[in-house]
Amino acid sequence: MDQIFAFYSSQVRNYFGRRCVVSKSNVQSARVTLHDVAAKTGLSRATVSKALNDRPDVSVATRLAVRTAAEELGYLRSTQGGPSTFPHIALVSDSLKSPYAMEVISGAAVESQHMGFGLTVWQLDETPDDSPSTPRAIEPLSEDWLRLVASRGYVGIVLVTAPISENLVSLAGDLNIPIVSVDSPQVPPRGVRELGATNWRGGKDATGYLFSLGHRRIAFVSGPPRSVPSQDRMQGYLSAYQIADVAVDDKLIVEGGFTFESGFTAGRQLFTLPRSQWPTAVFAASDQSALGVIEAARATGLRVPRDLSVIGFDDTLMAWSSSPQLTTVRQPIRQLGALSICTLSDARKGIDTGGALQLTTELIVRGTTAPMPEPM
């Protein structure tokens, strides 16, 4: 296992030890105008202008036709700020509210700047099914969206905890658009380059540390039920139980959702058990859900860490700014964002980056863990 981690570390050093060279597009001597694009497409200049600015009152087919004509004529290369002169990467996240996602995006943005790329951020629709929403001009990760990305000459796509279908991956391959997935919530379809952290090891280390403090009733608050990272963290939790030769109480495994609210709900569920069955420690699959558990404990009259120890996962800003500061499993979040950009650039050049790459996690002990409390 140590040899595998050493290999991963060497791969990361190789990625960050080099910069990708971005070639500049040749600038045409004759400046192409909006009138030229309109003439080529047979559309009015007003319609062409709307299409190039992604106005929702212009159909996707028209936008694609205009983009194609503009690329062929070199219009986008002769105007300021177009993706042809300043190559862009499309980053799609399932949420822009998550501290984890924002740190990944931060790492990706900084690395993009170093490498001469622009970064365009998209968010999947978070509107509940029973709530009204404003129709979008085009939905991220739809076929129309992917074709539009291809027509604009984007370098590729980075997914941050966002799912993607096999059909879309197949279409991306046909359009020569590489895809990199960071902390995928699913097993990514073949053809997607996957980046993540050693979730199983992090779960084992966190739970094992609680066992070392004398705890025996250790609860686990999971992420979404289909989340692969959450499942891996739970398997690490279960492995620590096996190593400690302690029987697992299924009532101590509670479904969560990587959010403060889900952690609070899970904590309340744990504390509705008979007092003799309460956990003395909780390992939560994210920092946000761990803080929700802490709030549920406070609402029940428990003190952290005197009465209950809590460990989170991620080591986001919330972990060290909470009171007390949260003991957590640190994953190199910003490095994952930066590495996604290097991996995408390499893929675009035809460099084989191999299969899934995992960066090593580390347990960070702070103020929410303490030895097993004395029996009352």
Side-chain angles (χ1 to χ4, degrees), residues 13 16 25 41 95 106 117 126 134 175 211 300 304 325 336:
R13 285 195 297 272
F16 288 107
S25 302
T41 58
S95 173
S106 176
F117 296 131
E126 289 187 318
T134 303
L175 296 172
F211 274 120
T300 309
V304 175
Q325 291 185 327
L336 284 170

Side-chain angles (χ1 to χ4, degrees), residues 7 19 45 53-54 90 116 138-139 189 212 229 237 244 279 289 307 374:
F7 168 76
R19 293 292 184 195
R45 282 184 291 180
N53 286 284
D54 291 333
I138 189 167
E139 187 67 28
S212 74
Y237 161 85
S289 56
D307 302 318
E374 295 294 331

Side-chain angles (χ1 to χ4, degrees), residues 190-207:
R190 188 173 181 179
V192 175
R193 292 156 179 83
E194 183 182 3
L195 304 178
T198 53
N199 292 298
W200 176 87
R201 175 180 173 176
K204 180 182 73 69
D205 289 349
T207 312

